[in-house]
Amino acid sequence: MLIDVTKLDEEQRKRILKKLIDKLGLTLAAKMLGVGRSTLYRYVNTNQSIPLEVVKKATEMLAPDELSDAIYGLKVVEVDATTALSVVIKAIKDEKFRNFFVSILYQYLGDYLKSASSTYIVTEEDVKKFEKSLQGKSKSTIDMRIRYLRMALIRLSYELSPDGIRDLLAELSEESSNIARHTANSLKLFIKTVVKEKNLQLAQLLYNSFKVPKSKYKYKPQPLSVDTLRKIFDSIDHLGAKAFFLLLAESGLRVGEVYSLKMDQLDLENRIIKVMKESETKRAYISFVHKETKEWLQGVYFPYREEFIRTYEHVVKQIGADVEAWKQKLFPFQLADLRASIKEGMKKVLGKEFRLYDLRSFFASYLIKNGVSPMIVNILQGRAPPAQFQILQNHYFVMSEIELQKIFDEKGPKLLSPK
């Protein structure tokens, strides 16, 4: 990579030579640069001016990431979205700059890029193309495939990723192995006919990342403890991911349910999450948040979320997205980004990853171990089908929201310590 050394100040030139000495040692670096050992020592330890030809030779011996460290370090500067977009445009047009830019991105954001590169964002045009590819099949088959695909896309927020699909199939298998099987088949067919044409490598990754359930799903969740989850929570850097992880662990709700929440579904005054979503197989009633979680969301997460929206609102407008709908989301971030940051926290604590779906299993196990009736757990997690719930409510079981919340407060897992 070529660097215009005439634009480097003396301090940057000195750091480049120091980086080369760190890499090769003083003797070998001096030999490679064609200068004496004592001369090179003076260049990096005194105010003696460094010749441009020496600096140029040094830049040619350093990798792009090493040059970046030497020239820029990790200094944080204010960069708005317009500047960021201009950098991307320059990378598209300038091959040498692009090589440098990409190498730096992978050095510092490798995990995020890997997560993003394994995610396919589905458009309405993709769905129409899929429907068109089904022509020739019976109307009932077409309707079934489209119905299951749309249901999956809604719950996945139109983001197809290996982790997202596997979590979804685990959740569906909990409800009905038949629904899980039809959903998996529809997703496989969609990936094969639509995604493959646009991105062969990504299509292969997605297609091979999950299997079609043939019977009841046999997945053994990771054994987790409150102490482990607290450590992971503390290790997550992204405040949006931190809040997302907190609600998943403490509410026992499904990943898609929490990610799809809108601001008006979170009643912090009464500490209630109003999921209010019904289907033929589940009744997601309401869940709750602990007092400590309420205070953390108000004092830490919401200010961060508001600043994020203020910063990027004009970018969302520029790309033609529905700004108002985006602003109403409790988590206005890419799900892949949240997952990547949480996984990074998991690896810091455990040295490995587990599925976000395991937090739902953890919640159920924790409550049952603390003496809560499995029936109550099913109600809190929206697992009781509407008809069954209605029978329980009307004939055998009467419990108010206040009583449910009391059980949640006393028996539910808490990641945050009381102040």
Side-chain angles (χ1 to χ4, degrees):
M1 184 189 72
L2 297 178
I3 293 288
D4 186 351
V5 295
T6 63
K7 295 183 178 179
L8 301 177
D9 59 34
E10 284 295 333
E11 185 59 34
Q12 289 174 318
R13 296 177 192 182
K14 188 180 293 187
R15 288 204 300 267
I16 287 174
L17 295 188
K18 285 182 177 179
K19 177 65 73 172
L20 186 64
I21 292 171
D22 289 341
K23 182 177 182 179
L24 303 178
L26 181 63
T27 302
L28 181 56
K31 182 179 179 180
M32 297 290 287
L33 291 172
V35 299
R37 193 172 182 273
S38 59
T39 300
L40 181 56
Y41 180 85
R42 285 197 305 274
Y43 285 157
V44 298
N45 290 289
T46 69
N47 293 326
Q48 183 174 339
S49 180
I50 305 172
L52 292 179
E53 61 270 18
V54 173
V55 181
K56 188 174 185 302
K57 283 184 181 180
T59 63
E60 294 169 355
M61 299 179 207
L62 295 173
D65 58 327
E66 294 170 325
L67 269 177
S68 175
D69 281 345
I71 297 173
Y72 306 110
L74 293 176
K75 183 173 67 174
V76 177
V77 296
E78 290 298 322
V79 177
D80 60 22
T82 302
T83 305
L85 287 172
S86 68
V87 172
V88 172
I89 293 170
K90 178 173 174 60
I92 292 172
K93 295 181 177 180
D94 185 336
E95 182 180 356
K96 292 175 182 176
F97 178 77
R98 180 166 65 247
N99 293 336
F100 165 75
F101 181 57
V102 171
S103 68
I104 298 306
L105 284 177
Y106 270 99
Q107 180 188 2
Y108 296 112
L109 297 172
D111 288 342
Y112 291 98
L113 290 174
K114 289 174 185 175
S115 178
S117 64
S118 63
T119 300
Y120 183 85
I121 307 300
V122 181
T123 65
E124 186 59 30
E125 182 183 342
D126 290 333
V127 177
K128 290 178 181 177
K129 187 173 183 179
F130 178 62
E131 187 171 8
K132 188 175 180 180
S133 73
L134 296 174
Q135 297 308 313
K137 299 184 182 296
S138 67
K139 185 178 184 302
S140 60
T141 297
I142 294 174
D143 290 345
M144 179 188 69
R145 290 291 179 221
I146 295 297
R147 183 172 72 255
Y148 281 107
L149 175 68
R150 284 202 178 275
M151 179 274 294
L153 293 177
I154 290 170
R155 291 180 65 162
L156 291 168
S157 297
Y158 285 79
E159 296 182 20
L160 297 184
S161 68
D163 286 335
I165 294 173
R166 286 193 291 260
D167 278 345
L168 174 63
L169 293 179
E171 291 173 5
L172 292 175
S173 294
E174 172 191 294
E175 301 160 13
S176 165
S177 59
N178 191 46
I179 290 176
R181 186 172 64 255
H182 283 308
T183 302
N185 280 323
S186 295
L187 286 171
K188 288 271 190 188
L189 189 57
F190 176 80
I191 293 167
K192 186 177 179 180
T193 57
V194 177
V195 181
K196 184 178 179 181
E197 187 175 311
K198 290 189 173 182
N199 190 326
L200 176 60
Q201 186 176 3
L202 178 55
Q204 290 173 335
L205 174 66
L206 292 172
Y207 191 91
N208 295 323
S209 68
F210 66 98
K211 295 181 179 179
V212 177
K214 290 185 169 57
S215 57
K216 188 170 179 60
Y217 197 68
K218 297 178 180 179
Y219 171 70
K220 189 175 181 180
Q222 177 84 14
L224 299 167
S225 68
V226 171
D227 184 55
T228 296
L229 297 185
R230 284 173 180 160
K231 290 177 181 177
I232 294 172
F233 173 80
D234 290 337
S235 298
I236 298 171
D237 296 325
H238 186 315
L239 280 179
K242 214 175 179 78
F244 189 58
F245 182 82
L246 180 63
L247 289 188
L248 284 174
E250 291 189 347
S251 72
L253 293 174
R254 301 167 178 88
V255 175
E257 287 171 343
V258 175
Y259 184 67
S260 299
L261 286 173
K262 293 180 173 54
M263 288 295 291
D264 59 5
Q265 290 178 271
L266 182 61
D267 177 2
L268 274 190
E269 183 178 348
N270 296 301
R271 298 190 291 109
I272 295 175
I273 300 175
K274 304 173 183 176
V275 184
M276 300 302 184
K277 193 183 290 182
E278 287 193 1
S279 73
E280 294 178 359
T281 58
K282 70 174 186 293
R283 186 183 200 283
Y285 180 47
I286 58 173
S287 189
F288 307 94
V289 294
H290 292 296
K291 293 177 182 177
E292 296 81 5
T293 301
K294 168 188 173 180
E295 293 171 1
W296 187 88
L297 290 173
Q298 289 176 323
V300 180
Y301 174 62
F302 282 172
Y304 169 79
R305 177 188 173 278
E306 289 166 10
E307 179 61 29
F308 179 85
I309 287 176
R310 278 196 301 270
T311 302
Y312 295 105
E313 182 176 356
H314 72 286
V315 179
V316 176
K317 288 179 181 176
Q318 286 177 353
I319 63 176
D322 187 336
V323 178
E324 291 308 313
W326 175 72
K327 288 168 66 174
Q328 285 303 310
K329 294 189 69 173
L330 180 58
F331 296 102
F333 318 97
Q334 290 293 317
L335 183 55
D337 195 16
L338 299 181
R339 285 183 181 277
S341 188
I342 291 172
K343 283 185 177 183
E344 191 176 334
M346 291 176 181
K347 285 186 282 190
K348 286 178 184 176
V349 175
L350 299 173
K352 61 181 180 179
E353 305 167 6
F354 58 84
R355 290 161 59 169
L356 292 183
Y357 178 75
D358 291 353
L359 295 174
R360 181 166 167 82
S361 300
F362 158 77
F363 179 87
S365 299
Y366 188 91
L367 263 65
I368 290 171
K369 287 177 183 176
N370 278 278
V372 178
S373 162
M375 181 170 62
I376 300 294
V377 175
N378 283 342
I379 292 171
L380 285 172
Q381 291 194 296
R383 195 178 287 109
Q388 178 186 334
F389 183 90
Q390 201 66 40
I391 291 171
L392 287 169
Q393 191 178 49
N394 293 341
H395 300 285
Y396 303 106
F397 183 77
V398 178
M399 178 164 282
S400 68
E401 291 178 7
I402 294 175
E403 290 172 303
L404 279 174
Q405 189 171 44
K406 184 178 180 182
I407 293 173
F408 175 88
D409 286 341
E410 293 178 356
K411 305 292 186 178
K414 292 184 180 181
L415 269 59
L416 301 176
S417 302
K419 292 183 178 180

